[in-house]
Amino acid sequence: MSNTAEEKREISLTCINCPLGCALTVTIEGAFITVAGNTCPRGEAYGRKEVTDPTRIVTSTVTVENGVIPRVSVKTASDIPKGRIMDICEALRRVRIQAPVAIGDVVLADCAGTGVDIIATKAVASA
Amino acid sequence: MSTDKTLVIIGGGPAGLSAAVAARKAGLTDILILERDNGLGGILNQCIHNGFGLHTFKEELTGPEYADRFIQEVLKEQIPCRLNTMVLSVDSNRRVTYMNREEGLKTIEAGAVILAMGCRERARGALNIPGFRPAGIYTAGTAQRLMNIEGKIIGRRVVILGSGDIGLIMARRMTLEGAKVEVVAELMPYSGGLKRNIVQCLNDYDIPLKLSHTVVDIQGKNRVSGVTIAEVDGERRPIPGTEVHYDCDTLLLSCGLLPENELTRALGAQMDPVTGGARVSDVLQTDIPGVFACGNVLHVHDLVDYVSEEAGLAGRSAAAYILKGQPVTETDQMIPLVGEGGVRYTVPQLLDVSGMAETVTVRFRVADVYRDRQISVYYDEHRVSAVKKKVLAPGEMEQVVLKRDSLTAGTRPGRIRIVLEDAE
């Protein structure tokens, strides 16, 4: 039985680069990726990245002790693979830090083995 | 220090902060920010997601980080702020009466006033949703504050009514915190939120968005136990037989924002019934001399970057009013701006050609989703510009720029029309 035909997949996406929101169809055939439905080069790049290496910045909060408020907002210092979002959130649930906190403080290094640090996005003074 | 030349800014959120910094940079010494919360930054403090500042700082910041950029400038410029301070009234002589624990009740005579009070959410009472009144029903912004600042858990199974940006952001936020968001129901046939938020907050987590749907029943006596959703017809009436029940413990409402203009109305400023804010000239002055408005209290924005930009203009205008006594033009000598063909409103509503800057940005929203149109500017019946648009939506604010040269060259038009028309 021959199996020469490569598997062909079509993925539908909405481009987010501008309010136009082009409906993209990304076709993956082995190593070949084609993007259709875009009206500009940014749509092409977006479509390609979303099917090969989708990444996101994750934002959340962690517990802060002895601060004027009980939570401090945080984010990943750079974008992380989209498939790791829930692992990041799970790791953040166990984090407790002490006030004071400054913007940019690392609250968790190398979060969930992504190699990306979690940094504070808000200052929290001591109570 | 004499207080009769002070610029009083009501509200220390993104609009008030940007206005204060701009007024100081324009050379104004005496500025006072009055803020009712216990810190500066306003609603940005609870908007912990990223995407702020792409226009202003060319990078993606979270809300608290964006606010901090302006707060640091206010601190560096040593602009005084009174926190935990509630403004009770502003009168047409620019007497501002406020109250706080340190000073009690105090009235100051301001040289100019900037209204920067922001907006509030439309709550359940304004929505006419039938059903019981159990616990577990929140506006999206209230839920956001409870989660992101106070660290409370809101619920485990969630239905969201309304696809405004805060609702979309909260759908993702609650999912990341382990809740199950069953569905987002939107009364209109289109979402009022930004495209980016639909994709990254709903599609990323397979949360269904049901357009032309609304909540027709809320179940539960003490706590929400379920919600019934039905499709609506073209008149936005629920269609019998389309009801679907969802078990849930939480209902979030993201059904629009209302500029918070109690002070403005009591002041007697002329209001725009469409924006819910004051009518303003191109320098963002209301019809009360020396009283300016900017940010969400003037009209609800979708991007904070434009709030900062608009508030910067209000700050410079208020500084010019105090330092140079400008502008002096009466409202009835200004050219009215009108929106037509689906342009719901314009801000500003009036243009003072004599004091006009080289360019004036006119912001507006459209009434529906439109494809292949153009935004044209007419001076009376004479078209002066047209910009093609592939798509326009009510959720995305639009703008056109008016040039002074084009207005001073010919005869002065009786009115300036911003018209949405078929693309040529």
Side-chain angles (χ1 to χ4, degrees), chain B residues 73-373:
Chain B
E73 282 208 66
V74 164
L75 295 177
K76 194 182 83 193
E77 297 286 347
Q78 298 184 309
I79 298 170
C81 308
R82 299 235 197 289
L83 302 175
N84 301 305
T85 296
M86 192 74 192
V87 174
L88 302 179
S89 69
V90 181
D91 72 15
S92 54
N93 295 317
R94 299 184 300 276
R95 275 194 301 254
V96 179
T97 302
Y98 65 86
M99 188 166 68
N100 61 36
R101 281 175 178 248
E102 287 73 38
E103 298 170 282
L105 190 66
K106 194 173 173 187
T107 297
I108 51 175
E109 311 229 342
V113 175
I114 294 180
L115 306 170
M117 293 89 76
C119 61
R120 260 200 308 253
E121 289 176 285
R122 189 173 275 128
R124 182 185 174 182
L127 292 171
N128 292 322
I129 306 172
F132 287 104
R133 304 197 156 263
I137 305 169
Y138 301 91
T139 58
T142 299
Q144 189 180 44
R145 181 182 170 95
L146 288 169
M147 272 185 104
N148 293 346
I149 294 181
E150 298 180 24
K152 302 276 198 299
I153 291 168
I154 305 301
R156 294 291 177 200
R157 290 182 80 174
V158 188
V159 168
I160 300 178
L161 174 62
S163 59
D165 286 310
I166 313 170
L168 300 175
I169 294 284
M170 283 307 290
R172 173 175 64 187
R173 182 81 188 106
M174 296 201 70
T175 304
L176 294 182
E177 289 296 312
K180 168 93 175 108
V181 179
E182 301 286 346
V183 66
V184 176
E186 167 60 56
L187 179 68
M188 303 303 286
Y190 50 82
S191 166
L194 296 172
K195 203 110 226 170
R196 178 173 74 188
N197 287 336
I198 306 239
V199 172
Q200 296 203 336
C201 300
L202 299 187
N203 300 1
D204 269 9
Y205 303 95
D206 298 320
I207 299 168
L209 169 62
K210 291 199 165 183
L211 300 173
S212 299
H213 278 71
T214 193
V215 169
V216 292
D217 190 30
I218 300 170
Q219 295 100 33
K221 199 157 169 62
N222 295 316
R223 175 82 196 190
V224 174
S225 63
V227 158
T228 305
I229 281 172
E231 196 176 341
V232 296
D233 62 20
E235 309 282 301
R236 299 184 214 164
R237 286 174 310 216
I239 303 170
T242 63
E243 296 89 354
V244 179
H245 171 83
Y246 292 89
D247 283 335
C248 63
D249 56 26
T250 304
L251 174 65
L252 295 191
L253 306 172
S254 179
C255 303
L257 300 167
L258 307 166
E260 197 169 347
N261 272 305
E262 283 79 2
L263 290 174
T264 321
R265 277 189 290 268
L267 163 67
Q270 205 182 10
M271 304 297 290
D272 182 324
V274 180
T275 59
R279 280 171 63 82
V280 292
S281 69
D282 50 302
V283 294
L284 304 181
Q285 184 174 233
T286 68
D287 69 332
I288 311 286
V291 178
F292 301 79
C294 57
N296 281 353
V297 82
L298 181 58
H299 59 141
V300 175
H301 294 62
D302 30 62
L303 296 180
V304 71
D305 300 75
Y306 295 143
V307 169
S308 301
E309 192 182 306
E310 185 178 278
L313 171 61
R316 290 189 298 277
S317 302
Y321 185 84
I322 291 177
L323 298 172
K324 302 177 198 158
Q326 294 167 340
V328 290
T329 313
E330 295 287 330
T331 303
D332 58 12
Q333 289 165 24
M334 297 183 194
I335 305 174
L337 279 78
V338 289
E340 294 176 16
V343 174
R344 289 187 63 225
Y345 71 84
T346 67
V347 168
Q349 289 87 348
L350 296 163
L351 186 72
D352 172 13
V353 180
S354 62
M356 180 183 174
E358 206 169 304
T359 60
V360 166
T361 301
V362 179
R363 297 198 162 96
F364 60 91
R365 284 183 193 273
V366 296
D368 202 344
V369 177
Y370 301 98
R371 288 179 191 281
D372 297 315
R373 299 292 170 107

Side-chain angles (χ1 to χ4, degrees), chain B residues 5-7 18-31 77 79 312 314-324:
Chain B
K5 288 287 186 184
T6 305
L7 166 60
S18 174
V21 171
R24 172 57 56 85
K25 285 182 176 163
L28 199 62
T29 318
D30 291 342
I31 304 171
E77 297 286 347
I79 298 170
R316 290 189 298 277
S317 302
Y321 185 84
I322 291 177
L323 298 172
K324 302 177 198 158

Side-chain angles (χ1 to χ4, degrees), chain A residues 14-16 18-22 39 46 50 55-61 69-75 82 85-86 89-90 93 103 119-123, chain B residues 44-46 48-50 60-62 64-65 68 147-152 172-173 175-178 195-197 199-200 203-205 371 390-391 396 398:
Chain A
T14 307
C15 182
I16 62 161
C18 79
L20 210 51
C22 292
T39 43
Y46 173 79
E50 278 296 290
T55 60
R56 300 285 186 271
I57 297 274
V58 178
T59 62
S60 188
T61 61
I69 51 173
R71 304 289 288 187
V72 61
S73 55
V74 299
K75 68 175 181 183
K82 187 181 160 191
I85 293 174
M86 284 304 178
C89 292
E90 187 57 43
R93 265 179 259 236
I103 290 181
I119 58 173
T121 58
K122 185 187 286 185
Chain B
L44 288 171
N45 287 316
Q46 68 183 60
I48 64 164
H49 53 283
N50 65 319
E60 277 200 53
L61 302 172
T62 64
E65 290 172 305
D68 188 65
M147 272 185 104
N148 293 346
I149 294 181
E150 298 180 24
K152 302 276 198 299
R172 173 175 64 187
R173 182 81 188 106
T175 304
L176 294 182
E177 289 296 312
K195 203 110 226 170
R196 178 173 74 188
N197 287 336
V199 172
Q200 296 203 336
N203 300 1
D204 269 9
Y205 303 95
R371 288 179 191 281
K390 278 194 172 151
V391 162
E396 319 247 358
E398 297 287 341

